[in-house]
Amino acid sequence: MTATRILVLNSGSSSVKYQLLDMADNVRLAVGLVERIGEETSRFKHTPLFSGGEARERNGPIADHTAALKAVAAELAADGLGLDSPELAAIGHRVVHGGLRFTAPTVVDDAVLKEIERLVPVAPLHNPANIIGIRTARELRPDLPQVAVFDTAFHTTMPEYAARYAIDVETADAHRIRRYGFHGTSHAYVSRKTAALLGKAPRDVNVIVLHLGNGASASAVAGGVCVDTSMGLTPLEGLVMGTRSGDTDPAVIFHLARVAGMSIDEIDVLLNKKSGLVGLCGDNDMREIVRRIDEGDERARLAFALYVQRLKKYIGAYTAVLGRVDAVAFTAGVGENSAPVRAAAVAGLEGLGPAVDPELNAVRSDQARLISPAGSRVAVAVVPTDEELEIAQQVHALVNG
């Protein structure tokens, strides 16, 4: 029997998301989420997706990630999909930061795990949880390939002049300070799917990808290769996000320290958790912000306008970087579902090529589609992202040589 199943694990600081896929036909067999790990109010929802299986949910304390992954294994086993199945080929792990060393999916051994640990200082919120997920999965199935797929890998193709910050080279190199970029699996998947929408090979298409969720990032993809992206050393740089500021004058930090007397930790919390949309208007849900605008709320209107202005700046900048743009692709929660954001982001950019057809833009669908008028010089696409499928495909390709 050929092993064609891949279990994809995304271990967060207090959660574990997972999907089991059969790569023989790219079918999902089960999905689930364990959240609020370490709390009395932990919640576990598991959904088998074959033969009409119903979702199962339970609430109650789940002590740690080890307990969470053992619970996941038990639920899968109850559906006949256990980790001991000979059809399970590998377990794929989303790892946020791979630095410069990891440019492709990598089978995890002790040396690889040590290097991922070495990168914790540049991804303190994410890599530790990713590491726990890998270690626990190795304990549960030590004989099975554990494969790390890195958010940063897709962006390692950026030229040095795009990846460098203009600071002292020796200091930057000593502390690994450079632009790494994130959301790489999403940008890779969406840029490739956009090319397919246009009926072309990825190598023949230049795409600006806008991944707009609570975290948001843009990328310039030339012929299937990332040449620039908005996030940097951390996911704080770039677009306005749900709770993150995005691009900010670095001197704001000095000013807050000197004038407001804020500590580095307080400024960190401000820029990462109390800024962006929530800092501007108190909401980080774009649906709520649009509703408030319709009711005449000026703070919501300002937040929306600032959010869109940043998007326009990146579309314009990446048009200049790419020289020729074939498509602008919207993805992730806001990108896929907010017609007002899509329309506003390209409004007034007709001279650069992109335009939106109002009727096509208003249609809600979970399918990849074009929303630009026929004959547009630059197509505008909505492409639902599928990071789990992208991870599973990369893992399956690796373990099958």
Side-chain angles (χ1 to χ4, degrees):
M1 179 184 295
T2 302
T4 57
R5 293 177 182 172
I6 304 293
L7 175 62
V8 176
L9 294 178
N10 182 353
S11 299
S13 58
S14 62
S15 67
V16 173
K17 298 177 185 177
Y18 64 93
Q19 292 194 15
L20 180 65
L21 301 95
D22 192 330
M23 303 314 295
D25 45 16
N26 289 346
V27 169
R28 286 172 175 77
L29 301 176
V31 302
L33 169 65
V34 188
E35 55 186 345
R36 297 194 290 271
I37 294 171
E39 301 179 20
E40 291 297 314
T41 57
S42 302
R43 175 175 174 267
F44 181 13
K45 184 176 182 179
H46 171 85
T47 306
L49 297 175
F50 61 96
S51 63
E54 294 186 1
R56 303 192 291 271
E57 184 173 334
R58 57 189 172 98
N59 298 281
I62 296 176
D64 52 31
H65 283 72
T66 300
L69 287 171
K70 287 181 177 178
V72 169
E75 290 295 334
L76 289 170
D79 295 321
L81 303 170
L83 299 191
D84 58 350
S85 168
E87 296 178 73
L88 187 61
I91 299 177
H93 300 266
R94 179 196 179 214
V95 178
V96 166
H97 216 307
L100 291 180
R101 174 174 172 182
F102 298 114
T103 62
T106 305
V107 176
V108 177
D109 57 20
D110 291 342
V112 168
L113 196 55
K114 186 175 181 179
E115 180 65 15
I116 296 172
E117 290 174 333
R118 195 177 72 85
L119 290 163
V120 165
V122 289
L125 298 180
H126 299 94
N127 274 30
N130 304 153
I131 290 165
I132 292 171
I134 293 170
R135 282 180 173 155
T136 304
R138 290 178 85 189
E139 291 171 4
L140 293 173
R141 278 300 304 268
D143 59 314
L144 202 65
Q146 308 287 332
V147 180
V149 178
F150 300 90
D151 266 15
T152 50
F154 183 64
H155 304 303
T156 58
T157 54
M158 286 191 294
E160 194 70 358
Y161 56 78
R164 283 273 181 186
Y165 290 110
I167 65 174
D168 173 67
V169 171
E170 285 74 20
T171 301
D173 289 349
H175 300 285
R176 301 191 297 278
I177 298 171
R178 63 187 290 117
R179 302 181 63 249
Y180 293 99
F182 299 90
H183 296 143
T185 51
S186 177
H187 286 277
Y189 177 85
V190 171
S191 60
R192 197 168 60 248
K193 289 287 286 186
T194 302
L197 268 182
L198 300 179
K200 298 180 180 180
R203 65 177 178 273
D204 298 324
V205 175
N206 290 355
V207 185
I208 297 171
V209 178
L210 302 172
H211 176 108
L212 308 180
N214 194 49
S217 60
S219 67
V221 182
V225 175
C226 178
V227 295
D228 208 344
T229 192
S230 59
M231 285 180 168
L233 173 71
T234 75
L236 181 58
E237 187 180 358
L239 302 175
V240 176
M241 304 177 222
T243 65
R244 299 178 200 144
S245 64
D247 292 337
T248 305
D249 182 347
V252 168
I253 297 170
F254 315 145
H255 182 79
L256 290 173
R258 292 167 181 159
V259 177
M262 295 177 68
S263 69
I264 291 297
D265 288 343
E266 288 172 331
I267 297 170
D268 189 337
V269 170
L270 172 69
L271 296 181
N272 277 291
K273 298 182 179 180
K274 297 181 179 180
S275 295
L277 294 173
V278 80
L280 289 165
C281 71
D283 266 312
N284 62 342
D285 186 325
M286 187 57 74
R287 294 166 297 187
E288 183 65 13
I289 291 171
V290 170
R291 183 193 67 77
R292 286 172 55 184
I293 291 171
D294 291 340
E295 294 179 352
D297 189 308
E298 287 304 315
R299 284 187 64 188
R301 192 182 307 279
L302 172 64
F304 185 90
L306 205 159
Y307 184 93
V308 167
Q309 171 75 354
R310 192 75 54 84
L311 285 174
K312 288 177 179 287
K313 288 173 72 173
Y314 271 91
I315 293 171
Y318 286 170
T319 297
V321 166
L322 291 168
R324 186 200 84 242
V325 177
D326 298 295
V328 175
F330 290 86
T331 193
V334 175
E336 294 168 27
N337 297 299
S338 182
V341 166
R342 295 191 299 259
V346 300
L349 300 183
E350 292 82 6
L352 297 178
V356 162
D357 180 295
E359 291 185 6
L360 294 176
N361 189 37
V363 174
R364 294 187 65 86
S365 172
D366 59 0
Q367 300 298 310
R369 60 201 185 277
L370 296 177
I371 59 170
S372 45
S376 290
R377 185 155 47 91
V378 175
V380 178
V382 180
V383 180
T385 192
D386 198 333
E387 294 175 270
E388 289 78 15
L389 177 59
E390 178 70 18
I391 290 170
Q393 288 175 335
Q394 291 189 27
V395 172
H396 190 252
L398 178 64
V399 297
N400 282 278

